[in-house]
Amino acid sequence: MELYLDLVSPPCRAVYLFAEALKIPFEFKLVDLSAGQQYSEEFGKLSVVKKVPVLKDGSFVLTESTAILEYLVQKCSVADHWFPADLQQRARVNEYLSWQHLNLRSHCSKVFLLRTLYPFVMGSEVPKEKMDAAVEDMKQSLNLLEDKFLQNKPFIVGNKISLADVVAMVEIMQPLGTGVDGFQGRPKLMAWRDRVKKELGEKLFDKTHEAVLNSSGLQQKMQNNSELQKLKPLFIKYFR
Amino acid sequence: MAVELYLDLFSQPCRSVFMFAKKNNIPFEFKKVSLMDGEHYGDDFGKISIIRKVPALRDGDFCLSESIAIMVYLAEKFQTPDFWYPADLQQRARVNEYLSWQHTAIRMQGSKMFWLRLMIPKMIGMEVPKEKMDGALEDLNNSLNLIEEKFLQDRPFIVGDRMSLADLVAIVEIMQPLGAGLDVFDGRPRLSSWRDRVRTFIGEELFDEAHQNILGAQEGLKQIDPSKLELFKPKILRLFL
């Protein structure tokens, strides 16, 4: 089984963390996003959507991290708590996995991209108003994460870690290296983060997040890459 | 006690849930939440869903939001036929893949088109810059192209011969821009015949009933007091403009 990943991408980290923590055997295939490799002809043959992560299991190719995670859960024999069979508990995981796309994921990504990619693509600093609005949206999502999804439970579904916690955690980690700390002032989230790290394995968690936490390294890489320069027009639209 | 479904059929995900429950003869109480009247911000609805979005489900003490989670819950609880959410590993993965992809793709873009073409000019009274409109149309077309090239291809339905939650979730989003007078099926015969198959599979009467409000939006708006939207104006403008 092959997993096409770049650990700078949160959904790639979720898949990687899960597969590694559960010792699911796979071949790591790097798709270097800051070099624009997702737009290569070769990768386009694998996935017309041109995004990571991608799973290839024999001739079966699958995109979308939440679909990949559920596929791995169903295929390999993992402990029930990752994706509980219980009707209501599973619904809670599904509810989080659905909500997060246009909320926590979208908002944390936007903050990250504004901090790292905007100056490179637009050739200027991010307008304060735009940055403030993005950080405010991220704050609202974090509020909902705490007030609705986590509440006073150890993990999103209850006493045990599930896919929901992994998928949530990688998104909050995304802008951390750019100086936007979603955990700051939120002791409940910090305690939850520590529990999640412990369940997955602290060394694994830290290793997985190494690249994204080094955002100045990322920016240097992008500046030096001529292929990426060509892709600027694609990104400009996102920032308008 | 029957399951309660909190719905407004103007909302795409509400339409999926409505059609799914009706088609499968799942007994439920339809609890109307009028988005236009801001009922989702009321105290009562806040007790059902702190997220303040529709659809929402209440089953005894259990409250659930997010249409996909709701439909999968209903499918499991009421043991609906396998084709809706196949147990087969790869087929289920294909349904999950579509359901995941669509949030930030067709769902966003279909919604945006509806707001840019109809709601913002007619209800909020603001002109939409041509550049924004063209950009939104391009994004919408790119998503429709992907639906045809990757998700549908030459199959009758997204996963194969039978309809699934993927088609149900897809169709309601693709129908949304029609409410603003944009016929996305024009020039797309493959998509059109898929829509006809989906409509037949669900049942034409049920499909048309679910889509009555949205397809009548241009007319229906004439009866609505624009000041009702003042509350949402900042949010809408930030989201879509």
Side-chain angles (χ1 to χ4, degrees), chain B residues 10 114 118-119 179-180 212-222:
Chain B
F10 267 108
F114 182 73
L118 188 65
M119 300 298 280
Q212 205 176 31
N213 284 358
I214 195 65
L215 293 178
Q218 288 177 95
E219 269 306 305
L221 282 188
K222 293 178 184 167

Side-chain angles (χ1 to χ4, degrees), chain A residues 48-49 60-64 66-67 70-71 74 87-88 91-92 94-95 98-99 101-102 137 148 237, chain B residues 50-51 62-66 69 73 76 87 89-90 93-94 96-97 100-101 103 135 138-139 150 238:
Chain A
V48 70
V49 185
F60 183 66
V61 176
L62 185 65
T63 63
E64 295 295 318
T66 52
E70 289 182 39
Y71 178 87
Q74 196 175 342
L87 183 64
Q88 289 190 7
R92 286 279 167 249
N94 284 335
E95 185 186 46
S98 173
W99 174 85
H101 287 276
L102 286 170
D137 280 343
K148 177 196 159 51
K237 219 165 143 191
Chain B
I50 186 180
I51 295 175
F62 184 66
C63 291
L64 186 66
S65 58
E66 295 296 314
Y73 176 87
E76 179 65 34
L89 179 67
Q90 289 189 6
R94 286 277 166 252
N96 284 335
E97 185 186 45
S100 173
W101 173 85
H103 287 277
E138 193 188 333
D139 287 342
K150 174 186 164 61
R238 208 165 85 198

Side-chain angles (χ1 to χ4, degrees), chain B residues 6-11 14 30 32-36 54 213:
Chain B
Y6 292 75
L7 308 169
D8 180 335
L9 297 181
F10 267 108
S11 141
C14 286
F30 188 121
K32 172 126 197 256
V33 178
S34 168
L35 298 176
M36 207 64 77
V54 283
N213 284 358

Side-chain angles (χ1 to χ4, degrees), chain A residues 30 33 42 67 108-109 118 125 130 132 141-142 152 166 208 217:
Chain A
L30 176 68
L33 299 179
E42 202 191 316
C108 292
S109 271
Y118 188 102
E125 284 304 303
K130 225 180 170 72
D132 288 348
S141 280
L142 289 169
N152 292 316
V166 183
T208 304

Side-chain angles (χ1 to χ4, degrees), chain A residues 64-111:
Chain A
E64 295 295 318
S65 63
T66 52
I68 292 171
L69 286 166
E70 289 182 39
Y71 178 87
L72 293 175
V73 160
Q74 196 175 342
K75 181 168 182 175
C76 316
S77 293
V78 307
D80 177 75
H81 62 82
W82 288 107
F83 197 46
D86 173 78
L87 183 64
Q88 289 190 7
Q89 287 184 28
R90 178 161 298 196
R92 286 279 167 249
V93 179
N94 284 335
E95 185 186 46
Y96 183 77
L97 295 183
S98 173
W99 174 85
Q100 57 94 28
H101 287 276
L102 286 170
N103 293 279
L104 193 64
R105 166 149 177 67
S106 163
H107 298 151
C108 292
S109 271
K110 184 134 202 187
V111 170

Side-chain angles (χ1 to χ4, degrees), chain A:
Chain A
M1 192 175 69
E2 296 170 349
L3 290 173
Y4 291 75
L5 308 168
D6 182 335
L7 297 184
V8 167
S9 140
C12 285
R13 290 198 297 273
V15 170
Y16 179 79
L17 280 168
F18 184 72
E20 287 276 312
L22 274 87
K23 305 199 188 324
I24 295 170
F26 69 91
E27 202 185 321
F28 189 119
K29 302 286 233 178
L30 176 68
V31 181
D32 191 343
L33 299 179
S34 59
Q37 280 182 5
Q38 71 275 41
Y39 296 110
S40 75
E41 217 182 292
E42 202 191 316
F43 188 69
K45 288 191 189 124
L46 183 70
S47 170
V48 70
V49 185
K50 300 178 192 291
K51 291 188 178 184
V52 280
V54 179
L55 168 150
K56 186 163 186 282
D57 193 3
S59 58
F60 183 66
V61 176
L62 185 65
T63 63
E64 295 295 318
S65 63
T66 52
I68 292 171
L69 286 166
E70 289 182 39
Y71 178 87
L72 293 175
V73 160
Q74 196 175 342
K75 181 168 182 175
C76 316
S77 293
V78 307
D80 177 75
H81 62 82
W82 288 107
F83 197 46
D86 173 78
L87 183 64
Q88 289 190 7
Q89 287 184 28
R90 178 161 298 196
R92 286 279 167 249
V93 179
N94 284 335
E95 185 186 46
Y96 183 77
L97 295 183
S98 173
W99 174 85
Q100 57 94 28
H101 287 276
L102 286 170
N103 293 279
L104 193 64
R105 166 149 177 67
S106 163
H107 298 151
C108 292
S109 271
K110 184 134 202 187
V111 170
F112 173 78
L113 288 171
L114 284 176
R115 299 284 273 210
T116 52
L117 207 61
Y118 188 102
F120 167 76
V121 172
M122 305 299 273
S124 62
E125 284 304 303
V126 187
K128 187 181 184 303
E129 198 187 70
K130 225 180 170 72
M131 196 67 230
D132 288 348
V135 171
E136 178 60 30
D137 280 343
M138 182 175 153
K139 185 176 148 200
Q140 296 300 330
S141 280
L142 289 169
N143 289 347
L144 270 172
L145 175 65
E146 284 197 270
D147 299 338
K148 177 196 159 51
F149 292 102
L150 202 51
Q151 292 173 28
N152 292 316
K153 296 171 279 165
F155 298 99
I156 289 174
V157 171
N159 287 328
K160 296 201 153 176
I161 191 172
S162 72
L163 294 180
D165 304 281
V166 183
V167 167
M169 188 59 65
V170 293
E171 297 297 344
I172 307 173
M173 292 299 289
Q174 190 70 358
L176 197 60
T178 72
V180 180
D181 185 350
F183 299 104
Q184 195 176 58
R186 295 177 188 267
K188 196 159 50 157
L189 283 192
M190 285 188 211
W192 166 69
R193 175 199 56 201
D194 294 341
R195 284 191 291 272
V196 170
K197 275 179 87 161
K198 195 155 169 253
E199 287 299 313
L200 291 171
E202 288 184 25
K203 257 163 78 176
L204 171 64
F205 187 91
D206 291 339
K207 179 179 92 159
T208 304
H209 284 92
E210 225 167 55
V212 78
L213 291 177
N214 177 18
S215 70
S216 61
L218 276 174
Q219 283 177 310
Q220 274 236 306
K221 226 178 143 196
M222 291 191 298
Q223 288 294 352
N224 295 338
N225 191 297
S226 58
E227 280 307 303
L228 204 65
Q229 303 281 348
K230 294 184 202 162
L231 295 168
K232 273 189 188 179
L234 263 173
F235 300 125
I236 285 177
K237 219 165 143 191
Y238 175 81
F239 290 123
R240 281 245 177 80

